[in-house]
């Protein structure tokens, strides 16, 4: 499979797995935090069955402007993303979709950021009730406020008890080493 096909497959998986959404952005300018330092990165999606794809599907300079992540390089996987610190080095990721706003969980490590697309249907009904979310017929759960988003993400992480599947990783790299490969 070519790199472009990998990128499309990863983008589809990223959007299809986005089970927590809102009609409007819940992480505004003042609620956004900076986790990933600007610089050159590679992005590698993970296979749904675990493990990274064979190689990165995107590489380029990532900037942090107006409390959003952006890149001038085509096909940046998460344009306009905002991060909001949940706890320690754990962040909520917000990005715009065609049908609203989606949310993910990111883990910040030195030189890299991994992310997970949470699955609302993975939560027991009692946990969804505690968070005040309802599983819709398509498997999506609507979030109405930032405090509800924070609560549901904490409950989600507690429910999974550390067994979080990774969906992708951004790694700090040098542009020169990438060009040589």
């Amino acid at each position: 499979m070519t790199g472009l096909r990998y990128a499309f497959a990863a983008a589809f998986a990223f959007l299809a797995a986005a089970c927590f959404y809102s009609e409007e952005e819940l992480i505004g300018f003042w609620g956004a935090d900076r986790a990933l330092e600007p610089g050159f990165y590679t992005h590698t999606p993970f296979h749904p069955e675990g493990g990274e794809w064979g190689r990165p599907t995107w590489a380029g300079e990532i900037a942090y402007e107006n409390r959003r992540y952006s890149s001038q390089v085509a096909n940046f996987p998460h344009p306009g993303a905002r991060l909001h610190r949940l706890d320690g080095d754990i962040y909520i990721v917000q990005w715009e979709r065609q049908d609203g706003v989606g949310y993910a969980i990111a883990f910040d490590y030195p030189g890299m950021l991994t992310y997970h697309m949470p699955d609302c249907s993975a939560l027991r009904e009692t946990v969804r009730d505690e968070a005040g979310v309802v599983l819709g017929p398509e498997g999506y759960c609507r979030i109405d406020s930032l405090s509800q988003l924070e609560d549901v993400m904490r409950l989600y992480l507690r429910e999974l008890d550390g067994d979080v599947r990774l969906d992708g990783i951004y790694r700090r790299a040098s542009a020169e080493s990438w060009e040589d490969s």
Side-chain angles (χ1 to χ4, degrees):
M1 189 179 274
T2 67
L4 186 56
R5 287 176 64 195
Y6 275 126
F8 283 126
F12 176 76
F14 186 74
L15 293 174
C19 291
F20 292 97
Y21 78 98
S22 64
E23 300 288 324
E24 298 176 2
E25 291 185 329
L26 300 177
I27 302 172
F29 182 86
W30 297 111
D33 295 302
R34 181 170 142 172
L36 194 68
E37 289 298 318
F40 190 88
Y41 286 86
T42 61
H43 174 261
T44 307
F46 276 55
H47 191 276
E49 295 175 11
E52 294 180 50
W53 289 103
R55 62 184 178 81
T57 58
W58 181 88
E61 197 76 28
I62 297 177
Y64 186 70
E65 302 166 336
N66 296 318
R67 297 184 174 238
R68 291 186 188 276
Y69 289 94
S70 63
S71 180
Q72 297 299 314
V73 178
N75 301 317
F76 176 46
H78 305 103
R82 281 195 167 144
L83 276 66
H84 176 75
R85 185 183 308 272
L86 184 62
D87 291 308
D89 293 333
I90 302 172
Y91 293 81
I92 298 171
V93 180
Q94 168 186 279
W95 80 99
E96 291 182 40
R97 303 170 7 156
Q98 283 185 320
D99 58 348
V101 181
Y103 297 95
I105 300 170
F107 306 91
D108 187 26
Y109 301 99
M112 73 176 75
L113 184 102
T114 62
Y115 62 88
H116 167 71
M117 299 303 303
D119 179 0
C120 186
S121 65
L123 291 175
R124 290 177 289 136
E125 187 174 350
T126 57
V127 176
R128 288 194 301 269
D129 289 345
E130 184 179 345
V133 295
V134 176
L135 184 63
E138 297 88 22
Y140 293 88
C141 287
R142 179 180 167 163
I143 306 294
D144 295 312
S145 70
L146 181 57
S147 62
Q148 182 186 33
L149 178 62
E150 292 171 334
D151 291 345
V152 77
M153 291 303 178
R154 283 188 181 100
L155 288 168
Y156 182 86
L157 290 170
R158 186 183 77 205
E159 181 78 2
L160 293 182
D161 194 28
D163 189 19
V164 177
R165 175 198 76 247
L166 295 181
D167 293 307
I169 185 169
Y170 283 93
R171 281 193 181 87
R172 184 97 167 168
S174 72
E176 295 79 28
S177 67
W178 178 254
E179 290 170 0
D180 295 339
S181 62

